[in-house]
Amino acid sequence: MEQFVDFVTEKEPVIPQAPRKRKALSRISRFLTNKYFIASVGFLGVMLFLDKNDLITTMDRREELQNLNQSKEHYLQELSELRKVKADLENDPVIIEKLAREKYLMKRENEDIFVTEDKTKSVATPQ
């Protein structure tokens, strides 16, 4: 029977090839060219960068909202302090007199007011 065999029984040398890379590249290229993947990437790109409510605008608005909330808290605290001052002014005549004397330089009939300057604060030290 050996006479009829027309091929060589010796083993051919094995050449190391990288079929796995081709398979991996083939899988990646098939994944990247998938129409659902391309549509998803396009949709995400539009929603994150090109839309009216994109990511950057949303972050800016969130930061602005934080700043506005902080200023709101500040003004609410200042408003409560002013309400306390108003209540004191409406009820306490001593505080009314103190405010009139300090802020508006008012005086009683028999008083004289002397306004003095503090020279240490107004004159800078010469060099």
Side-chain angles (χ1 to χ4, degrees), residues 17-35:
Q17 295 180 355
R20 290 185 182 183
K21 288 183 182 178
R22 287 185 183 171
K23 284 184 181 179
L25 289 176
S26 173
R27 287 182 185 167
I28 292 173
S29 67
R30 279 189 291 165
F31 180 72
L32 291 177
T33 57
N34 186 347
K35 63 182 174 183

Side-chain angles (χ1 to χ4, degrees), residues 3-111:
Q3 309 168 20
F4 300 110
V5 177
D6 60 338
F7 62 89
V8 180
T9 59
E10 296 177 6
K11 291 185 177 180
E12 294 181 13
V14 177
I15 301 172
Q17 295 180 355
R20 290 185 182 183
K21 288 183 182 178
R22 287 185 183 171
K23 284 184 181 179
L25 289 176
S26 173
R27 287 182 185 167
I28 292 173
S29 67
R30 279 189 291 165
F31 180 72
L32 291 177
T33 57
N34 186 347
K35 63 182 174 183
Y36 297 110
F37 176 74
I38 292 171
S40 299
V41 169
F43 177 75
L44 286 175
V46 167
M47 294 306 290
L48 291 177
F49 302 111
L50 302 176
D51 190 36
K52 178 177 83 173
N53 298 320
D54 62 345
L55 184 65
I56 297 169
T57 305
T58 304
M59 291 171 49
D60 289 342
R61 287 181 182 163
R62 184 173 292 149
E63 183 179 341
E64 183 180 355
L65 179 64
Q66 284 180 336
N67 292 338
L68 288 173
N69 283 333
Q70 288 176 353
S71 65
K72 177 184 173 185
E73 290 174 6
H74 169 72
Y75 288 126
L76 286 175
Q77 182 180 9
E78 190 173 319
L79 182 64
S80 67
E81 291 173 4
L82 288 174
R83 284 184 179 154
K84 288 178 187 176
V85 169
K86 179 185 174 196
D88 288 342
L89 284 173
E90 288 175 349
N91 299 327
D92 196 2
V94 175
I95 293 179
I96 294 172
E97 184 179 345
K98 179 181 175 187
L99 179 71
R101 286 173 175 268
E102 290 176 358
K103 192 168 184 178
Y104 299 109
L105 299 175
M106 293 183 159
K107 63 175 187 150
R108 292 186 184 158
E109 285 187 24
N110 299 331
E111 286 183 335

